[in-house]
Amino acid sequence: MGDLLKDKRALITGGSRGIGKSIALAFAGEGAQVAIADYGDEAVAAETVEELKALGSYAAFALKGDVSDPEFAKVAAIHMKDIFGRCDVLVNNAGITDDGLLLRMTPESFERVLRINLTGAFLMTKEISALMMKQKRGGIVNMSSVAGVKGNAGQANYSSSKAGLIGLTLTTAKELGSRGITANAIAPGFIDTAMTQALNDRQREASIAAIPLGRPGTPEDIANLAVFLASDRASYITGQVICVDGGMII
Ligand code: NAD
């Protein structure tokens, strides 16, 4: 608990569980007022909101919706303005996988993963950065992946979306830097969440064998960097892609 994010207003997509929840709780623990946007189970989101309030984010709220819906992104920006008065930090964390070998992957699967993981981040960035531009400050953190940096067999859709997020991050940093807005990407490796728990034992073992530090990461490992990137201590860092992966990328 500290005050690195004291009085900041943050919106975290996919914030009701996993890495997004961990980021939301860490932000609240550092003094931020936090909103989460998620299309999952409302009861799970409500539980996260209660935990956020207990940490001092007394005005925490959850929005139910799909980040790949342009109307939802607009509604999210309106809620941030109406309830929090502004948005200082946007974390584009919502994401899905739908793995399969390239030759068997359907165009529908490819497009669905791109739509949620990449178009969703674009839509949220477009609407929320309009608020940030008026404030002349803001920080955007995009959740990419090591799979977006070096590819991954069985994840043509996912790794393409995560590589695309890096392009979005770099362009956002260039376009909005003059307005005092930073944009950075985190590229997690293999992190213990529901997403990776869906893998079979052989896939898990192969992933862990590729990690020099010899263990999966925790959602808190990712949240630690997200807190720093969202804080004023990182105000001169933009357009960076930082791997948090126990060395998996090397
Ligand atoms: P998770 O499945 O546990 O949580 C994802 C959350 O996003 C869920 O609450 C889900 O309801 C929400 N979500 C998904 N699609 C959405 C949509 N269209 N609109 C709104 N909410 C949506 O996954 P996680 O492991 O916590 O992953 C979080 C992010 O980190 C994802 O972008 C993922 O690709 C990325 N990532 C995860 C790992 C890992 O090893 N777990 C590694 C690299 C990157």
Side-chain angles (χ1 to χ4, degrees):
M1 300 279 278
D3 61 2
L4 268 178
L5 304 180
K6 193 168 183 297
D7 293 333
K8 290 207 187 281
R9 271 61 166 162
L11 174 62
I12 297 153
T13 70
S16 64
R17 73 174 201 195
I19 292 171
K21 176 176 180 176
S22 194
I23 292 172
L25 296 179
F27 277 21
E30 291 292 341
Q33 291 298 319
V34 181
I36 57 174
D38 203 298
Y39 74 175
D41 189 335
E42 271 171 290
V44 174
E47 224 171 84
T48 301
V49 167
E50 286 315 307
E51 289 181 54
L52 289 168
K53 288 184 175 167
L55 283 166
S57 178
Y58 54 83
F61 67 95
L63 288 171
K64 184 174 169 74
D66 183 339
V67 292
S68 68
D69 172 0
E71 287 311 309
F72 178 66
K74 286 188 182 132
V75 166
I78 290 168
H79 275 76
M80 288 305 286
K81 178 96 178 82
D82 287 354
I83 298 174
F84 282 171
R86 60 178 197 270
C87 184
D88 304 303
V89 184
L90 168 66
V91 182
N92 283 311
N93 164 80
I96 60 163
T97 52
D98 188 18
D99 298 351
L101 292 174
L102 182 68
L103 291 181
R104 289 198 207 124
M105 190 172 283
T106 62
E108 291 74 24
S109 167
F110 190 86
E111 279 166 12
R112 182 167 150 263
V113 173
L114 263 286
R115 174 133 200 98
I116 291 181
N117 294 5
L118 181 56
T119 309
F122 157 72
L123 293 169
M124 296 300 298
T125 299
K126 183 172 151 69
E127 299 301 331
I128 296 291
S129 66
L131 285 183
M132 291 175 171
M133 277 161 72
K134 287 191 192 124
Q135 305 157 192
K136 294 196 168 46
R137 66 170 188 171
I140 298 168
V141 178
N142 291 326
M143 204 54 66
S144 180
S145 167
V146 162
V149 180
K150 65 172 190 172
N152 197 23
Q155 292 195 308
N157 47 11
Y158 183 78
S159 53
S160 300
S161 72
K162 295 301 185 178
L165 259 182
I166 292 173
L168 178 66
T169 305
L170 300 178
T171 299
T172 306
K174 284 191 172 175
E175 278 194 26
L176 303 184
S178 62
R179 312 298 185 101
I181 299 169
T182 62
N184 293 288
I186 299 177
F190 184 86
I191 311 299
D192 237 335
T193 67
M195 187 176 269
T196 47
Q197 278 150 18
L199 299 175
N200 64 37
D201 287 349
R202 192 181 49 77
Q203 291 168 316
R204 264 185 86 78
E205 279 161 23
S207 297
I208 294 168
I211 303 171
L213 288 182
R215 66 162 177 91
T218 64
E220 292 72 28
D221 289 323
I222 307 303
N224 287 336
L225 177 60
V227 165
F228 173 68
L229 289 175
S231 77
D232 292 341
R233 290 192 187 170
S235 59
Y236 200 56
I237 299 174
T238 196
Q240 300 305 303
V241 182
I242 303 173
C243 294
V244 182
D245 64 349
M248 202 179 201
I249 196 83
I250 52 181

